[in-house]
Amino acid sequence: MPRFFVNEPVEDFFEISGDDAAHIAKSLRMQKGETLTLCHDATDYICEITDFGEGSVKLRLLKVEKCDSEPNVKVTLFQALPKGDKMDFIVQKAVEVGVSAIVPVLTSRCVSRPDEKSLQKKVSRWQKIAEEAAKQSGRGRIPRVLEAVSLENAVETAKRSEKTLLFYENGGSPLREVINTRKPQSVAVFIGPEGGFEPAEVDLVSAAGGATCTLGKRILRTETAAIVATALVIYEIEARN
């Protein structure tokens, strides 16, 4: 069933306009009587199309359901900025596996260093990718892609999470041991760029209370590590009853 996000709860009768309305009418070619899902704050509103206006779609609320696809842990991915369009892929797949937010981070070995104006455009594009991925994967919320920050600022932001994990190609503790029996409500995940983290950067995260983790014996590309790490974190925490 097609899914669209709205900025406020849906009433018994509702009307949407703009790009979503055009997509419903022109791309999906939906008709009166067909149903779709409107989502706000992890709540699904199942609606029936009652009419089409000039650039709008009118709907009638059928039922309200809690969206059960949201993870019970909030994972923020602190991703060192990769080269090329790899970040597009990372954002899309990280949203699909369940992250709550993505923060691009500039580290010592980042090859890609766009200026502020270019970064703003990229963040705007990544946010659109996040929204489309949230729709496609049935998420209950649209994860936010925040402004790019230095590693130092990222470490300060990560302190708001209950647990901080840095995945390091040079080794660390197995994730299952680090998660242990405790189920944190929020986790910050740090992934390095193509060249990995500098030892001093690992020390910086460790000094702030972060745990260094390994993803096994094989060296993963940064875009692979980001998806594997976030998926495993969510799985390990959700699997603990």
Side-chain angles (χ1 to χ4, degrees):
M1 185 184 300
R3 170 178 292 263
F4 300 89
F5 289 91
V6 293
N7 295 323
E8 56 186 19
V10 176
E11 300 174 353
D12 288 347
F13 291 90
F14 197 78
E15 185 172 358
I16 58 177
S17 57
D19 291 342
D20 283 345
H23 185 65
I24 292 168
K26 297 178 181 179
S27 299
L28 297 178
R29 296 186 179 182
M30 298 187 74
Q31 305 294 320
K32 292 180 184 180
E34 292 191 274
T35 57
L36 53 77
T37 300
L38 300 180
C39 187
H40 171 74
D41 195 23
T43 300
D44 288 344
Y45 299 87
I46 313 303
C47 298
E48 177 187 29
I49 298 174
T50 59
D51 203 0
F52 291 89
E54 186 64 35
S56 67
V57 179
K58 298 179 180 179
L59 306 139
R60 178 172 66 91
L61 179 62
L62 299 178
K63 60 180 177 178
V64 180
E65 300 176 339
K66 184 181 184 300
C67 179
D68 61 1
S69 64
E70 282 300 296
N72 56 21
V73 56
K74 292 185 177 180
V75 173
T76 300
L77 171 61
F78 291 86
Q79 172 65 50
L81 205 59
K83 296 185 292 185
D85 59 359
K86 292 178 182 178
M87 194 67 172
D88 293 9
F89 175 85
I90 291 170
V91 169
Q92 183 187 66
K93 301 308 175 187
V95 169
E96 288 180 20
V97 301
V99 301
S100 297
I102 300 167
V103 183
V105 182
L106 291 166
T107 65
S108 297
R109 294 178 179 173
C110 285
V111 175
S112 177
R113 293 185 177 276
D115 57 37
E116 185 175 348
K117 186 175 180 180
S118 297
L119 260 178
Q120 288 176 348
K121 290 182 179 179
K122 287 178 180 290
V123 169
S124 179
R125 185 177 78 248
W126 295 331
Q127 187 62 65
K128 290 180 180 178
I129 291 172
E131 180 174 352
E132 290 304 313
K135 290 177 181 177
Q136 180 274 324
S137 58
R139 293 288 301 271
R141 296 184 176 92
I142 303 173
R144 291 183 61 200
V145 182
L146 304 176
E147 293 184 1
V149 297
S150 65
L151 181 63
E152 290 76 12
N153 287 339
V155 170
E156 287 300 311
T157 301
K159 290 179 180 179
R160 301 172 190 167
S161 297
E162 289 184 43
K163 186 173 282 291
T164 296
L165 309 175
L166 181 143
F167 288 87
Y168 193 35
E169 68 276 9
N170 288 331
S173 302
L175 176 61
R176 187 164 294 180
E177 292 180 8
V178 175
I179 296 295
N180 211 344
T181 58
R182 187 163 171 256
K183 290 181 65 173
Q185 298 298 305
S186 56
V187 178
V189 171
F190 281 80
I191 300 294
E194 288 84 354
F197 287 111
E198 292 275 4
E201 294 174 327
V202 178
D203 292 341
L204 177 66
V205 176
S206 298
T212 304
C213 300
T214 178
L215 287 173
K217 299 177 181 180
R218 291 160 295 282
I219 303 298
L220 304 182
R221 294 177 184 270
T222 182
E223 63 270 32
T224 308
I227 309 312
V228 172
T230 51
L232 285 176
V233 167
I234 293 170
Y235 174 79
E236 284 291 339
I237 294 173
E238 289 195 322
R240 297 174 187 272
N241 298 320

